[in-house]
Amino acid sequence: MPTEPAEQPPLINLVDPELYAKGDPFIQWRWLRSHQPVYWHAPTEYPGFWVLSRYEDIRAAYRDAATFSSAQGILLRPESHGADPGGGRTLALTDPPRHRQLRGLIDKWFSVRSTRAMEQDVLSVVRRVVDDALEQETCDFVTDVAARVPLYVICKMMGIPSGDWEKLFMLTSDAFGAGDPLTRRLAHLDILNYFEALQVDKAKHPADDLVSVLATASTDGEPLSPDDVILNCDNLLVGGTENTRIATAGGMLAFLRHPDQWQILADSPDLLPTAVEEVLRWTSTATHIMRTATRAVEVRGHQIAAGDRVTFWLPSANRDESVFSASDQFDIRRQPNRHLALGFGEHFCVGSVLARVEMRLLYNELLSRSVHVTLDGAPTLLSSIVVNGPECLPVRMTAF
Ligand code: HEM
C-alpha cells in the first residue's frame, strides 16, 4: 500500500511584514499548531523567540503573569531599536503590583456601567460619521468610517477639546498608517508633545476626563511623573483607536466576502452581539503579543529559559480547531465563542466593552438605515507583524 506523503513543513518566518499584506500566515500557523506548538523562531533582525500557536497554551501562559512578564515590552522589536521606552511605566507594560495600581486609576471609566452611560454619545458619533460617508459617493471605509468612530470617542473620554480631534485624527493616521518610518516617527512625537501640553493644562484645571485622572493621580502617595502620564495617555489613544479601526473594517470586509452573513444579520439584528464576537475572533487584529519569561519554565517539554521572549499568536489561537468547530468558517451565530482577540487574564483589554459597543452601534446603524455597501476597488492589507487587517477598503455606500 502506498503511504501518504508526509506534509511538507512550510518555511516558518512570522516576522516578514509582507506575509500579512500579501501572503497567507494561516498556512504557517496551522502547521505549527499541529506539528510544533511550541516553536523556537531563530533570530533575524529580531532576536530569537518562542512561538505559542495553540489556544490552550496561550491561555495558560496568559494566566501566569508572574512567569510571563509584560514589563520588557509586549511586542517584538528589532534588536537595533533597543528596549521599549514604555517598559515598566505604562498600563500595558507593567506587571503586578504596579499594573494593578495603574489599572485601578482608569478601570471604572471602561466598566459596563460607564460604557452604557456613554452609548448615546457613541451613537451620535456613529451617526455623524455614517452621514459624512454617505455624502461622498465612494470612500475608504478604514479611514472615513472605521477609524473615526473610536478616535472621536476616545478623544471625548480623554477630554481632548473637540477642535483638536481632526488634528489628532491626522496625527494618528500618520503615526500608525502606511507612510515612511520618518513620517510615522515625527507624527508620534507630535502626539507625545500634544499630551505633554495637555497634561500640564489638565493638572492645573482638572475636569471629568481621563487625562485629568492621570494628570492628578497618585500611587503610593506619589504623583505619576509627567513622562508616565504622557506615555499612559499615548497607550490609551493607540489602544483606543488602532485595533478597533482594523477590526471594524476587517469585519466589514468579512461581511462583503460573506454576504449571506450580512443578510442573516439584516434579517435578525438581535444577532449583533454574537456577530461582533465573531468579527473579533475572525479578524484577530492583534497579531502577536509578547511576554518575557521571569524564570525557567517548561512548556510541552520545551525548556524556556529566564529572559526568553515568548510570543502568543492570537489569530492562530482563534482558529484552533480543537476549540472552535469549523474554525475557518465565518459564522455570526457562533456560540460559545471564547476567543482571545482581546487578550486574557491580567492585561485583558481594558477597552473591551467600549470596542464591542462601538462596533455594534456602527453595524446596527448601517443595517437599520439599509446602507448598501459594495466594494469599489481591491482592498489592501497592512504590512505589519503587530496588527493585521485592512489598510484601505474602498467602498461605495448608498442608503435606500
Ligand atoms: C477591537 C478592538 C480591540 C482589540 C482587538 C484589542 C486588543 C487588545 C489586546 C489583545 C490586549 C491585551 C494585550 C496584552 O495581552 O498584553 C489589549 C489591551 C489593552 N487595550 Fe485593547 N483592544 C481593542 C480595543 C481597545 C479600546 C477601544 C481601548 C480603549 C482605550 C483599548 C485599550 C487597551 C489598553 C489600555 C490595553 C492594556 C490593558 C492592560 O495592560 O491592562 N483597547 N487590547
Side-chain angles (χ1 to χ4, degrees):
M1 283 266 289
T3 51
E4 287 282 316
E7 191 188 338
Q8 280 294 316
L11 178 72
I12 301 296
N13 179 5
L14 295 174
V15 292
D16 174 10
E18 284 304 290
L19 171 65
Y20 305 93
K22 307 237 160 71
D24 181 358
F26 287 96
I27 295 173
Q28 295 186 39
W29 288 326
R30 202 174 298 124
W31 189 87
L32 287 168
R33 278 198 306 276
S34 73
H35 294 88
Q36 291 202 36
V38 181
Y39 175 84
W40 175 252
H41 203 290
T44 52
E45 63 177 301
Y46 296 87
F49 56 92
W50 293 98
V51 173
L52 301 189
S53 50
R54 282 194 191 165
Y55 181 95
E56 289 303 346
D57 293 346
I58 292 175
R59 237 163 79 115
Y62 252 138
R63 228 183 252 126
D64 185 358
T67 304
F68 297 99
S69 160
S70 296
Q72 274 78 255
I74 59 164
L75 298 172
L76 289 164
R77 283 168 76 84
E79 196 91 73
S80 58
H81 288 198
D84 194 315
R89 309 179 78 166
T90 65
L91 180 60
L93 305 193
T94 39
D95 295 328
R98 181 64 176 158
H99 174 254
R100 296 216 175 134
Q101 289 180 324
L102 292 175
R103 189 135 174 166
L105 296 175
I106 62 159
D107 239 354
K108 80 168 168 41
W109 280 76
F110 293 95
S111 67
V112 173
R113 178 197 274 240
S114 306
T115 310
R116 196 167 289 149
M118 273 179 28
E119 273 207 23
Q120 212 44 48
D121 287 338
V122 179
L123 187 58
S124 313
V125 169
V126 163
R127 291 204 166 131
R128 186 174 126 198
V129 167
V130 171
D131 284 344
D132 288 351
L134 283 169
E135 266 180 30
Q136 309 170 45
E137 206 171 302
T138 57
C139 70
D140 170 14
F141 194 88
V142 177
T143 311
D144 298 322
V145 182
R148 288 184 190 267
V149 172
L151 182 94
Y152 294 160
V153 171
I154 196 74
C155 280
K156 190 170 173 50
M157 291 176 77
M158 295 181 84
I160 294 171
S162 56
D164 290 348
W165 292 5
E166 215 44 46
K167 170 177 161 172
L168 264 293
F169 177 75
M170 301 307 287
L171 287 177
T172 48
S173 305
D174 284 351
F176 311 112
D180 62 281
L182 184 64
T183 310
R184 291 211 300 255
R185 196 161 327 141
L186 289 177
H188 201 182
L189 275 178
D190 281 347
I191 293 174
L192 296 173
N193 288 336
Y194 180 85
F195 283 128
E196 187 170 9
L198 187 65
Q199 59 124 4
V200 173
D201 186 46
K202 297 281 182 187
K204 279 196 206 133
H205 312 287
D208 190 22
D209 60 61
L210 274 166
V211 178
S212 297
V213 167
L214 292 169
T216 56
S218 296
T219 52
D220 295 330
E222 288 286 319
L224 290 191
S225 74
D227 280 358
D228 285 6
V229 176
I230 295 166
L231 288 167
N232 277 291
C233 286
D234 184 54
N235 192 188
L236 282 175
L237 183 77
V238 178
T241 51
E242 204 179 17
N243 275 293
T244 317
R245 174 189 86 227
I246 308 167
T248 308
M252 197 64 241
L253 181 58
F255 283 121
L256 289 167
R257 288 183 172 155
H258 301 87
D260 58 314
Q261 298 294 307
W262 188 249
Q263 193 52 52
I264 294 173
L265 199 52
D267 294 341
S268 314
D270 54 313
L271 288 174
L272 265 164
T274 56
V276 166
E277 291 316 305
E278 182 65 345
V279 165
L280 287 167
R281 181 191 78 93
W282 187 255
T283 56
S284 281
T285 53
T287 312
H288 79 271
I289 295 292
M290 187 185 83
R291 297 290 188 256
T292 305
T294 55
R295 61 175 180 91
V297 56
E298 189 182 312
V299 182
R300 284 190 191 277
H302 294 267
Q303 303 301 325
I304 294 178
D308 279 0
R309 295 169 178 81
V310 182
T311 55
F312 311 158
W313 296 80
L314 302 182
S316 174
N318 287 337
R319 297 288 183 97
D320 189 326
E321 35 295 280
S322 68
V323 175
F324 300 97
S325 59
S327 63
D328 285 332
Q329 257 174 44
F330 179 61
D331 172 8
I332 63 158
R333 296 183 214 247
R334 183 180 295 279
Q335 251 179 338
N337 192 349
R338 293 191 199 95
H339 60 76
L340 300 179
L342 298 157
F344 186 71
E346 185 75 28
H347 289 272
F348 181 67
C349 177
V350 79
S352 60
V353 182
L354 178 63
R356 287 170 165 131
V357 165
E358 290 173 341
M359 293 167 79
R360 174 169 55 74
L361 292 181
L362 176 59
Y363 294 139
N364 189 51
E365 186 69 11
L366 298 176
L367 290 165
S368 61
R369 289 168 69 171
S370 303
V371 176
H372 190 56
V373 186
T374 49
L375 270 182
D376 187 52
T380 54
L381 301 181
L382 289 158
S383 167
S384 161
I385 69 162
V386 175
V387 278
N388 71 92
E391 173 182 70
C392 175
L393 182 57
V395 294
R396 190 170 287 273
M397 283 173 54
T398 352
F400 290 103

